[in-house]
Each structure stands twice: as structure tokens, then as C-alpha cells.
Amino acid sequence: GENVEQHPSTLSVQEGDSAVIKCTYSDSASNYFPWYKQELGKRPQLIIDIRSNVGEKKDQRIAVTLNKTAKHFSLHITETQPEDSAVYFCAACRVLTGGGNKLTFGTGTQLKVEL
Amino acid sequence: DADVTQTPRNRITKTGKRIMLECSQTKGHDRMYWYRQDPGLGLRLIYYSFDVKDINKGEISDGYSVSRQAQAKFSLSLESAIPNQTALYFCATSAKGQGAFQPQHFGDGTRLSIL
């Protein structure tokens, strides 16, 4: 089955700096890579995703890059703000016959943005 | 999204008890999923369902069962709870999509403690 590794497990940055979280996956059939943000005590929420036929996607201060050959993908947050503090999860997704999808999550990165 | 509702939100129970966690949704989605979240392990898939009466095992289904008797409801049962099932449980839903990734939307979670 799919295996997703995520690093680092904790990340502390100063407000205004950039943060980068990296993930690797094992199943070459995975074709969709979402990122979820989970604030303390709340549900995971999708913040950005990328398909396997795209190398980079950007949405305001967040961007995701994908290297399909190396099976790496990364989340980049620029100009970090205190409200970016949360746990971030990467996931690899394989679309299943019948149209559903099966997500395998990384183990999460606790991001802390310090003032 | 308040339209994926989990009950109860918190539950404390004893080893050996039978427990049912409920998930209901008003999003009209066909696909429903149950995950458990443990510190340092991310979210792991327990069971998923593509339609009423359709049940599929995830990566950690042992000790759990599910029921999908209506499109809007997906229940998770622990037949005889044990302490290592103490975790935060999330229900998620996604729309039907042929060959395309459909984002999964999570409920607020159920925090389950087994003594």
C-alpha cells in the first residue's frame, strides 16, 4: 500500500519568514496530493491540492510543488503570520474505480509562527 | 463545514463496552469515510463507503465495524472497546467524481477515551 513520509514533525519560524514542509510517497499510482491544515481542536481543512500532471500550484501565500519522478511534494508558505500556526498534513491520493478516492496521510507537521 | 455532523463529540467509556459513533451529512455526498487520529501518526483510514450498503476496509479495520444504511449516515461501531482504541475519530465525505479528485470534507471529530 501507499506510504507517505512527512518532514519535519515540528517547525518554528519567525513571523514574516517562509516555511517549507516536505513529503515523499511510495505508490506511483497516486495522482492527487492535497494538503490539510488542522488548527488546535478543529477539523482538518483542505488548503491546497495538486494533480500529478502539474508541477506547481500557487494560491496567495501558499504554494505546492510536485516532483513526480522523485515522488516528492512540498508545501511552501511565504510571509508567515501567527494564524498560520497549526498542524499541516500532506496526503497522497489514488482515485479508485467507482470514482471515490483513498487518501494516505503523512504524520503531520506542527508549525509555530513566533512573533 | 457544519454539514458533516458527528455525535457524540466526546465519550468516555470502559473496556469491553460496545460503542457507536454516528456521522450524518447534508452535503448530498455519496462517499463517506472514517478515520482515527493519534498523536504522531496522522489520520488513518478505518472504513469507507461509496454508496448505501457498500462497505470497504481501510488500513486499520480490525476491531471496528460500520453501517451505511442511508446516503446521509455512516456509523462506526466498536464491538468491544479496548484502551488502545482511545483516539480522535473523524468522519469525512466526498462527492462522486468520475476519475477526478473530489476533496474530502471532515466533521468536527469525536474524542473517545476508553478506560
Side-chain angles (χ1 to χ4, degrees), chain A residues 13-19 77-82 84 113-114:
Chain A
V13 299
Q14 294 292 314
E15 183 180 8
D17 288 349
S18 296
I77 307 174
T78 59
E79 301 172 18
T80 53
Q81 301 169 3
D84 295 328
V113 179
E114 297 178 334

Side-chain angles (χ1 to χ4, degrees), chain A residues 29-70:
Chain A
S30 290
N31 54 8
Y32 221 106
F33 305 91
W35 286 85
Y36 284 82
K37 175 183 180 182
Q38 186 180 26
E39 297 177 357
L40 187 63
K42 297 193 175 180
R43 67 181 76 188
Q45 293 199 309
L46 179 72
I47 55 171
I48 195 167
D49 54 31
I50 190 168
R51 301 184 185 194
S52 60
N53 59 352
V54 174
E56 184 173 357
K57 183 178 179 181
K58 190 173 182 180
D59 182 4
Q60 299 183 333
R61 294 187 298 109
I62 60 173
V64 57
T65 58
L66 171 66
N67 183 328
K68 193 177 176 184
T69 302

Side-chain angles (χ1 to χ4, degrees), chain B residues 93-105:
Chain B
T93 73
S94 68
K96 183 176 182 179
Q98 295 301 322
F101 174 74
Q102 297 295 327
Q104 292 189 16
H105 301 267

